[in-house]
Amino acid sequence: MGKDIGNGELQTLEERTGIPECSTKTKAAPAFEEVLDAIGSRGKFQTRLNIVFVCFASCFDLMSVNMFYLAMQTPDHWCYVPGRELSNLSVEEWKNLTIPREGASFSKCLMYNQSDVTDFGGSREPVKCQHGWEYDDTWFSLTVTSQMNWVCDNRQAVNDVFFYSQIIGVALGLLFGYIGDMYGRRPQQLLCLSAHVVSRVLVVLAPHVLPLFILAASLVSAATGPMVESVLSVGVELTDIKHRTVINCYGSCSMAAGVMLAGLVSWALPNWNYSIPFAALSCFALFFFFSWFPESPRWLACRGRDQEALAVVRRIAATNGSTVPPFALQVIQTVGKSKTDRRGFLSIFSSFNLVRNTTLLIIASSVHMLAIYSLVIAVSRLSVNPFLGIVAQGAAKLPAHFMVNYFAARFGRRWPSVGSALLAALASLLIFCLLTE
């Protein structure tokens, strides 16, 4: 009788709530992660994808960015006054005779009104540089600034390059992101790699054409973020859930290595006409391995391209030496049906939460970039080896990335992010005080 009463109660519950009995014999529909487990989520396919793109592509991406900032450094400079080659005076002695002082240092933009070493009886009235400039080549044999003489009355050109390249880069970055959403991660990665190569070739060939130089510089400003994001999105998607934080850690550490590599390569090649082409060649080398970069199966499924997504799954299985499970196509179709498609930039404003989160991400990213690249841009003003300064900055990121990823995996994403922001603020304040003193 108890059994009959139980069944009656169950029947009443189902009729009242519409919720069926949770039976241990009922098996949930397979998920995409189960397909990954069957075809291999950490096999040969993922290994070479992570090594070439998550590691090397992320490294070269940040290397290219930082090498350009180093190429835009303004070395110490002073007016060139002809005549020293006719004398036995050192550079310092000649500057004492021909360059007025401004406080404890020599003027960068003024010289005494004399043309050569025999005219010391003439006027000692300071005038603007008449014969160009000389540059301190202790660290940089040639930069964009010293080659183009973007100093003194022309120093605004450097600010224009940084300002307008970032503004144009923001607009192009939105376009690159839109291309990734509309046409896939693989075309996006191809576009970003091409932008790096084309940009670094153009900046070397066209520094005399300032608008073209700015446009070329903006290509990398636009491609930096989408390039890393497309790599990590595919790398994380094709890895099992337990090891996705590890993939993010690989990408973060590779970017730190890129900062270090930028300092080391620029130190070995202090002439920007050699260091920037090295960045272009490094990014170009990735084209030889581009066949290893797949399209996102989830993105293909969301676009209704089930057979193409299944082809990618089969390719991963073949590379890993496994077989595709029979339920793979069913899972792909389920993924496609479960995703709501939001297209276009206006989709950002489709809900209050999306607007709020997007705004917070923009602010956080802007502060992050400002904190990082302010030191890179101002590195030539420090009385130390600027290349070692960049290497040290990249080296400091390595333990920081490991710590953040460790705490994120252990305690979640929220509080480690807050703690990272607070530590960055304290570090920036400390650095500001040290530079001021």
Side-chain angles (χ1 to χ4, degrees), residues 125-174:
E125 185 72 21
V127 296
K128 291 184 178 181
C129 298
Q130 304 294 309
H131 312 284
W133 291 266
E134 289 188 77
Y135 296 90
D136 183 5
D137 60 357
T138 302
W139 303 115
F140 299 94
S141 61
L142 188 66
T143 66
V144 181
T145 306
S146 60
Q147 177 177 321
M148 301 305 301
N149 289 323
W150 286 342
V151 294
C152 298
D153 291 342
N154 298 321
R155 65 180 179 273
Q156 184 61 34
V158 177
N159 296 330
D160 290 342
V161 170
F162 284 135
F163 179 77
Y164 290 111
S165 65
Q166 293 301 317
I167 294 297
I168 298 173
V170 169
L172 290 178
L174 290 174

Side-chain angles (χ1 to χ4, degrees), residues 53-269:
F53 290 96
V54 174
C55 294
F56 279 99
S58 300
C59 176
F60 294 159
D61 185 29
L62 268 291
M63 180 190 72
S64 177
V65 173
N66 284 273
M67 286 175 69
F68 178 75
Y69 284 127
L70 287 171
M72 290 293 295
Q73 297 295 317
T74 302
D76 187 24
H77 54 280
W78 56 90
C79 296
Y80 169 68
V81 181
R84 188 175 72 87
E85 61 275 6
L86 302 177
S87 69
N88 293 322
L89 300 177
S90 66
V91 173
E92 196 70 16
E93 291 170 335
W94 185 254
K95 288 166 68 176
N96 278 319
L97 293 174
T98 59
I99 306 297
R101 284 187 174 271
E102 294 179 349
S105 60
F106 290 102
S107 172
K108 300 180 184 299
C109 303
L110 296 176
M111 57 179 282
Y112 287 126
N113 188 16
Q114 58 191 43
S115 58
D116 56 54
V117 73
T118 62
D119 193 22
F120 292 127
S123 172
R124 301 285 286 178
E125 185 72 21
V127 296
K128 291 184 178 181
C129 298
Q130 304 294 309
H131 312 284
W133 291 266
E134 289 188 77
Y135 296 90
D136 183 5
D137 60 357
T138 302
W139 303 115
F140 299 94
S141 61
L142 188 66
T143 66
V144 181
T145 306
S146 60
Q147 177 177 321
M148 301 305 301
N149 289 323
W150 286 342
V151 294
C152 298
D153 291 342
N154 298 321
R155 65 180 179 273
Q156 184 61 34
V158 177
N159 296 330
D160 290 342
V161 170
F162 284 135
F163 179 77
Y164 290 111
S165 65
Q166 293 301 317
I167 294 297
I168 298 173
V170 169
L172 290 178
L174 290 174
L175 177 62
F176 283 19
Y178 180 76
I179 289 174
D181 288 339
M182 294 301 298
Y183 301 102
R185 307 295 182 257
R186 183 176 165 85
Q188 183 185 41
Q189 182 69 8
L190 179 63
L191 179 63
C192 292
L193 281 176
S194 301
H196 270 277
V197 175
V198 172
S199 169
R200 291 331 182 207
V201 171
L202 279 181
V203 294
V204 173
L205 297 178
H208 299 83
V209 185
L210 189 57
L212 182 58
F213 185 85
I214 292 174
L215 180 60
S218 67
L219 289 177
V220 169
S221 298
T224 302
M227 182 172 172
V228 173
E229 290 163 4
S230 62
V231 164
L232 287 179
S233 63
V234 176
V236 167
E237 176 185 339
L238 299 181
T239 303
D240 58 276
I241 295 176
K242 294 181 180 179
H243 293 84
R244 288 177 180 175
T245 302
V246 176
I247 300 301
N248 280 316
C249 186
Y250 287 163
S252 300
C253 292
S254 297
M255 287 187 279
V259 177
M260 298 172 62
L261 191 60
L264 294 174
V265 172
S266 297
W267 194 359
L269 302 172

Side-chain angles (χ1 to χ4, degrees), residues 36 40-50 238 316 320:
L36 278 179
S41 59
R42 285 182 288 164
K44 177 182 177 182
F45 188 94
Q46 286 84 356
T47 299
R48 68 186 191 185
L49 172 67
N50 293 334
L238 299 181
I316 296 173
N320 291 342

